[in-house]
Each structure stands twice: as C-alpha cells, then as structure tokens.
Amino acid sequence: MTFQILPSETPSGRPGVGEHGAAAASWRLNPLLHVDPDRVYNPLTDASCTPGEPGWSELRRLLDGAQSPADLDAPERRLLAAASWLVPADAEPERDFLLKYVSLEAHTVCNQGCYFCPVAFDPRESYFMPTEQYEDILDQVAVYRDTVESVFMINYNEPTADKRFVEQVAAITRRGLPAATLTNGTGLTPKRVDQLVELGGLRFLSINLSTLDRGRYAEDRRGDHLALVLRNLDYAKDRPVAEDMDIVVLGKGDDVHRRDFEEIRDRFAGSRFRVKQFEVMDRAGYLQIGLSARNKTLCGCDNFGSRPLQHVHITPHGKCLLCCEDYDERYVVGDLAEQSLDEVLTGPALATMRRWVYGMEEAPADFICRSCVFARTR
C-alpha cells in the first residue's frame, strides 16, 4: 500500500525557521535538533554546537529542562535564535529543508541480484526515464547548487547499465552540480573511465566489491562478473575518475568478511581507491539479514545526514520518496510530473513525515523508520 498525503490534511504555507525576528514574543527549542551528550547538530543549518562554544551552556540547560526560553536573558536568546537553536513558537520548521544530497535514478535496471539488496528478491520492471524529463529535473536541482554536495545516480539501479551514463554525468556537471556514482563496476569500462576523466571526473565514485573469490562473488550476486570488474578497476585505480574513490566491502561482520576486506585492501593498496568495510543491514526490515532495529520513540535520522531534511530521492518515474530504504515506494512525498521540486520539498507530505521522524507527532506503528538502524531514538 502506497502512503500519500493530500494537501488538505496539513496546514498550508511555509513560515520557515528564520522568518521571524529575534524580538518575537515567544520562542521554543527547535524540535529538529540532533542531541547527543557532547554535541547538538542542526540539520537545517548544518551547524553543530559543542562544549566550550558560544551558546553551549545555555542550549544544554534548555535541553535538560533546567531552564525555559522565557528565562533566558535577551542576549542569550538572540544568540540561540540567530543560529536557529531556538525558533519562534508559531514557526513550522518541518516545512524547511537543507538540500545536500539528491538521488536521481534514470532507470530501474540492475544486472546483478545481490543477497543484500531487495532487487534480488523483487526485481523491478525495466523502465528508462525520458532524457527530456531527466534534464528538466536537473534544471530544478540546479537551483540548489549552492548547498547540494552530491547528485547520486543510483538508488536500486546499476547506473552504468544505461547507455546514456556518460551523457548523464555530463548533464549533471554542466549545471555546476557534483555527480556521484555508486556502481558494481561492470560497466565502468576503460573507454568510460577515459570519458569521465576528460569531463573532469566525478565528485564521488564508490565501487561495491564484496570478495575476490569468484565462486562466492557469482553466488552472492547472481552474476559471474568478477574478472570483468577487476579488469575495469585495474584500469581506473590510478586515474582521476573522481575526487573521492572508494571500494566498499559489504559482508556479515564475520571472519569471512574481515578476510575479504583485507584481501581487497591489499590488492588496491597504493591506488586512488580507499577500501572501506561495512556490515550489511536489513533495509528497514525489508530483508532478513544483517543489522536490524525495532524503534519505539523516534527523534531524528542519521542515515548519511537527515533523510527527510537533507535528501530527496527521485525514481525513474519522477516520484519523490521519503528515503532510500523505501524499496516498495510506500512513502511517496511528491510527483515531479505534477509538482515542482520546491513544491515537493516544502509540501505537506514531507512536513508530516518530518514530524513523524522527529517525534513531533506519533508515527504510525508500521512506519518505516521504526524498523531502521539509522533512526535516532530516545
């Protein structure tokens, strides 16, 4: 069942966090803060406050309930309000956002079926976004180029499976946006590597390579592609394909995983690739593997930044989703065939989801974040 919110279900308008002056009569703590013992982070400003910094003592007293905003001296209140640690009592910060990451899938195709991915169990029907629509969406994303740090060409697809792959990278970079690619490496051919270098390279390239054992590679991914992938990576490893070049070794956190990581790390030592090790997770309850969680009281998101406040996920059909973990597309927050990107990001559906994710309202019992290892809880 797909979850969608009609505009009439929530208040309209977008007051914004910073639209009221510091002389407003009533203030409250920003409900979207990430609070840890030695750090408070504001995902709407990308700012942190830590012990010893201006405002830390005042902010900590408020968070601990030892003081209310009304008890603050005027200079203290102005200091906290200027950094949006405090917001006006009538503000709706859940209507605001800081767009840092965009996932834009140009198609649904993947040429592998990895055990740690929903594609292996429920592959999607092949569909390619029309180039005209792709370009139009990029034009809208480019409005936020000052804050966007990466435009990822992937969610559950293999970006290099599209014959337009290099042209899509060019379309992203032509707009002053940073292109990022996560790939299994099968389509990262020497010819494409040279083309990417000629374009100036990607902002970020990540290769998903879980083992150097051919038999296990083929079994884990339903594709005997290891020799091809290694040929491609050997060609790319010393070339400036991206500003940051990673190889991610996924596994189950056991001795086999550790050995795979060490072998891959040693094979690519001295190259441009940084080899990293991560344990697989259950995709917010979709898979029965790896890291899992069942959360009761939600108070934020730590999935590579805050998904509802700093990301937008766009499917090949132009639908916008709450999160990358939503493989079944249950939490549709907008449709770029009918709305602008700004209307989606400031709209009622995302505002409601943000209230749920940050505990401003009680989320439904089966809400996706309740089963996610990246959910912040209290």
Side-chain angles (χ1 to χ4, degrees):
M1 173 177 159
T2 299
F3 183 93
Q4 292 179 292
I5 299 177
L6 298 176
S8 61
E9 294 183 71
T10 60
S12 61
R14 181 191 175 199
V17 173
E19 295 181 10
H20 299 258
S26 181
W27 296 85
R28 61 182 173 123
L29 274 167
N30 189 329
L32 303 177
L33 302 180
H34 293 196
V35 180
D36 295 305
D38 58 353
R39 176 178 180 261
V40 181
Y41 173 68
N42 187 338
L44 290 177
T45 63
D46 212 22
S48 297
C49 190
T50 58
E53 293 184 336
W56 170 259
S57 297
E58 295 85 353
L59 182 57
R60 194 71 254 181
R61 290 199 302 271
L62 294 175
L63 291 166
D64 292 341
Q67 198 171 19
S68 72
D71 298 328
L72 293 172
D73 294 337
E76 295 174 332
R77 192 159 48 244
R78 282 195 295 268
L79 175 67
L80 297 183
S84 294
W85 305 117
L86 290 178
V87 296
D90 60 348
E92 295 180 276
E94 68 271 23
R95 292 282 191 165
D96 216 333
F97 62 92
L98 176 66
L99 187 60
K100 295 179 64 177
Y101 309 106
V102 177
S103 293
L104 176 56
E105 280 189 308
H107 62 90
T108 60
V109 175
C110 186
N111 61 342
Q112 294 187 341
C114 304
Y115 75 91
F116 46 78
C117 180
V119 171
F121 306 96
D122 186 18
R124 297 177 292 178
E125 183 178 349
S126 295
Y127 179 81
F128 289 78
M129 178 184 285
T131 298
E132 182 179 358
Q133 184 181 17
Y134 189 84
E135 298 261 356
D136 175 69
I137 291 173
L138 285 178
D139 285 340
Q140 296 186 61
V141 173
V143 173
Y144 305 99
R145 66 169 61 89
D146 289 344
T147 62
V148 171
E149 296 183 6
S150 294
V151 176
F152 290 96
M153 305 171 68
I154 186 173
N155 199 21
Y156 289 100
N157 62 328
E158 169 49 49
T160 65
D162 195 326
K163 64 182 181 181
R164 306 170 296 176
F165 170 67
V166 174
E167 288 75 16
Q168 290 162 353
V169 172
I172 295 170
T173 58
R174 190 166 59 245
R175 290 165 171 81
L177 294 165
T181 298
L182 284 69
T183 171
N184 58 35
T186 54
L188 196 66
T189 62
K191 179 181 178 180
R192 280 177 162 173
V193 165
D194 290 342
Q195 290 173 324
L196 293 174
V197 171
E198 186 176 350
L199 284 172
L202 302 162
R203 168 62 187 86
F204 176 70
L205 171 66
S206 179
I207 309 295
N208 186 325
L209 177 64
S210 49
T211 183
L212 297 179
D213 182 284
R214 179 179 175 182
R216 282 197 289 117
Y217 184 100
E219 181 180 357
D220 288 349
R221 296 167 178 268
R222 301 182 187 177
D224 187 12
H225 301 142
L226 181 61
L228 169 63
V229 169
L230 291 178
R231 286 198 299 271
N232 289 343
L233 298 189
D234 284 340
Y235 186 83
K237 66 181 182 179
D238 296 318
R239 290 172 167 81
V241 188
E243 184 178 338
D244 291 318
M245 297 168 56
D246 291 350
I247 293 176
V248 172
V249 183
L250 288 175
K252 298 178 180 179
D254 53 14
D255 288 342
V256 173
H257 185 195
R258 178 183 53 78
R259 286 194 299 271
D260 285 332
F261 165 72
E262 292 173 350
E263 290 173 2
I264 294 172
R265 179 198 61 195
D266 293 345
R267 191 186 193 284
F268 289 95
S271 75
R272 288 179 174 266
F273 282 117
R274 299 174 301 181
V275 181
K276 300 179 177 181
Q277 180 180 7
F278 292 102
E279 188 172 348
V280 296
M281 44 89 76
D282 68 352
R283 292 287 179 182
Y286 192 97
L287 304 174
Q288 300 303 309
I289 60 168
L291 301 172
S292 62
R294 183 62 184 170
N295 303 311
K296 294 184 178 180
T297 304
L298 301 174
C299 63
C301 172
D302 277 333
N303 193 351
F304 195 60
S306 172
R307 293 283 158 168
L309 297 173
Q310 298 179 344
H311 293 244
V312 64
H313 302 275
I314 306 168
T315 74
H317 295 278
K319 299 292 181 62
C320 297
L321 306 179
L322 170 66
C323 180
C324 62
E325 311 298 350
D326 184 16
Y327 186 70
D328 287 333
E329 300 182 14
R330 293 182 60 205
Y331 299 92
V332 177
V333 296
D335 185 347
L336 295 180
E338 302 175 356
Q339 302 165 275
S340 70
L341 180 58
D342 184 72
E343 287 172 335
V344 172
L345 293 171
T346 62
L350 255 179
T352 295
M353 300 291 178
R354 291 163 183 155
R355 289 195 294 270
W356 290 352
V357 172
Y358 280 84
M360 299 168 67
E361 291 179 7
E362 185 70 17
D366 62 347
F367 185 47
I368 187 171
C369 299
R370 292 191 184 278
S371 300
C372 183
V373 298
F374 296 109
R376 296 181 65 88
T377 61
R378 57 171 177 262

